[in-house]
Amino acid sequence: MKIFLDTADIEQIEALLDTGMIDGVTTNPSLIAKSGGDIKQTIAKICDLVDGPVSAEVTATDIDTMMAEAEVLSAIAPQVAVKVPLTKEGLIVCRRLSRRDIMVNVTLCFSAGQALLAAKAGASFISPFVGRLDDLGADGMNLIADICTIYDHYDFDTQILVASARNPQHVVDAALLGADVITLPPAIIDQLYKHPLTDKGLAAFLEDWKKTGQSIL
Ligand code: E4P
């Protein structure tokens, strides 16, 4: 399973590059606003830093303006995946862009029926928001399971990109279901490294080592 970083914060991206875990980046208008940067400069900088797909979202809702914005965003670098909302207009834009081999990430997916339409529209990625469904008392991972089953039935090429992840268990559940990608805020990546027994075990090893008086170097 690929791991994308869900942030538009350049410093956060730079800090995690050395881990070798980052296969791409996703942004959205809220994350761009939070970063305080200009969208075109920010996406260009992220593309310079990261090798994989970098999602940049349109901010219009009508077809013509979304297409015009998509032209600007996709011209930044070939690795840009233009993010469009899961609306009828968004899927028309998705179809037009995918026919020109421009990557499209269809975002704000909350049902399997929506995911089916996105795949038929030629989306490179579908982004179901698991955390926002969990927030409402639903089980976001059930949606991922349904989309996996449907896409398998018809051999769709669209990659399932688990979005709105809230905790490390979402990562494990997504991987168990065979999702293609999960996008994670930096804090969740940091949490993934952690286990109390790792900390406890390391402390005990170091304590015992100190008693030997030895040094490897
Ligand atoms: C990424 O593509 C999504 O926009 C993001 O994961 C949404 O996360 P949130 O529900 O925590 O805002």
Side-chain angles (χ1 to χ4, degrees), residues 15-209:
L16 281 162
L17 280 181
D18 264 358
T19 62
M21 301 288 172
I22 309 307
D23 302 304
V25 171
T26 52
T27 67
N28 61 34
S30 303
L31 292 171
I32 294 285
K34 194 172 161 196
S35 78
D38 168 82
I39 182 167
K40 286 172 269 182
Q41 287 173 4
T42 303
I43 297 298
K45 186 81 205 292
I46 296 172
C47 289
D48 282 345
L49 290 171
V50 177
D51 284 334
V54 174
S55 291
E57 189 160 340
V58 298
T59 55
T61 53
D62 66 285
I63 294 171
D64 289 346
T65 319
M66 274 195 274
M67 280 302 295
E69 290 181 346
E71 300 288 354
V72 172
L73 295 173
S74 62
I76 294 173
Q79 76 205 82
V80 169
V82 176
K83 233 171 158 188
V84 300
L86 210 156
T87 58
K88 190 186 281 183
E89 292 78 12
L91 293 190
I92 289 170
V93 170
C94 173
R95 189 174 172 78
R96 289 187 189 174
L97 295 173
S98 64
R99 283 183 166 175
R100 289 168 46 195
D101 286 331
I102 293 172
M103 281 191 291
V104 183
N105 176 354
V106 176
T107 189
L108 291 166
C109 171
F110 293 94
S111 79
Q114 289 180 316
L116 174 64
L117 295 182
K120 288 177 71 70
S124 305
F125 301 99
I126 181 69
S127 290
F129 278 35
V130 293
R132 294 195 194 184
L133 282 169
D134 289 359
D135 292 346
L136 294 181
D139 185 346
M141 279 299 154
N142 282 344
L143 174 58
I144 303 302
D146 286 349
I147 300 173
C148 286
T149 303
I150 291 169
Y151 281 14
D152 279 354
H153 282 333
Y154 302 104
D155 274 339
F156 284 125
D157 291 331
T158 305
Q159 295 187 49
I160 301 170
L161 192 170
V162 177
S164 186
R166 296 274 192 266
N167 53 60
Q169 192 58 41
H170 276 151
V171 184
V172 175
D173 291 342
L176 285 170
L177 289 169
D180 301 284
V181 191
I182 189 163
T183 189
L184 299 174
I188 297 184
I189 294 188
D190 288 340
Q191 286 173 33
L192 268 174
Y193 284 96
K194 293 279 184 192
H195 194 286
L197 290 179
T198 305
D199 295 340
K200 193 176 166 196
L202 181 59
F205 286 157
L206 295 181
E207 198 51 42
D208 289 342
W209 180 246

